[in-house]
Amino acid sequence: MRASFRMIAGCGAFVALAAAGGAAAQNGGTAAQTQYLAANCANCHGTDGRSAGGIPGLAGLSPDYFIMQMKAFKENARPATIMHQLAKGYSDEQIAALAVHFSRLPAR
């Protein structure tokens, strides 16, 4: 029960951060705003998008692939536990900015 509460609380905090960052990065935003949005991904996907395992890393992904996957999550076309809800919180411009951001980071 405690683990479930922590997960729900963590997800709630993520959504609040994403919403706050969303207003600032409405049109893709500046590099700093995009880094702010990308920091939210670190909770599951690791620092700078380099996962420690279990969850896919984001660093080094092609922008097209990243955008395609996020679109699939938004449309409930790709199976996931929480990414459906999270992806719906980002605009297309924010997703494109995140795609470019993670594509520029070395995978490892």
Side-chain angles (χ1 to χ4, degrees):
M1 172 112 164
R2 292 185 102 190
S4 295
F5 176 75
R6 276 187 245 147
M7 182 176 213
I8 291 169
C11 293
F14 174 85
V15 171
L17 286 172
Q26 190 66 33
N27 294 314
T30 66
Q33 291 165 334
T34 300
Q35 277 188 306
Y36 176 80
L37 291 174
N40 294 314
C41 305
N43 291 325
C44 299
H45 295 279
T47 304
D48 291 329
R50 293 181 198 92
S51 176
I55 295 178
L58 303 175
L61 292 178
S62 78
D64 290 338
Y65 180 78
F66 184 94
I67 291 168
M68 180 177 66
Q69 297 307 309
M70 290 294 283
K71 182 177 179 181
F73 286 130
K74 283 178 90 166
E75 296 172 353
N76 295 323
R78 179 175 172 181
T81 55
I82 194 165
M83 279 303 299
H84 301 116
Q85 293 91 350
L86 299 177
K88 290 174 184 172
Y90 292 101
S91 69
D92 291 342
E93 292 83 7
Q94 291 170 326
I95 289 171
L98 286 167
V100 170
H101 170 79
F102 285 115
S103 73
R104 293 178 176 165
L105 299 175
R108 277 227 181 207

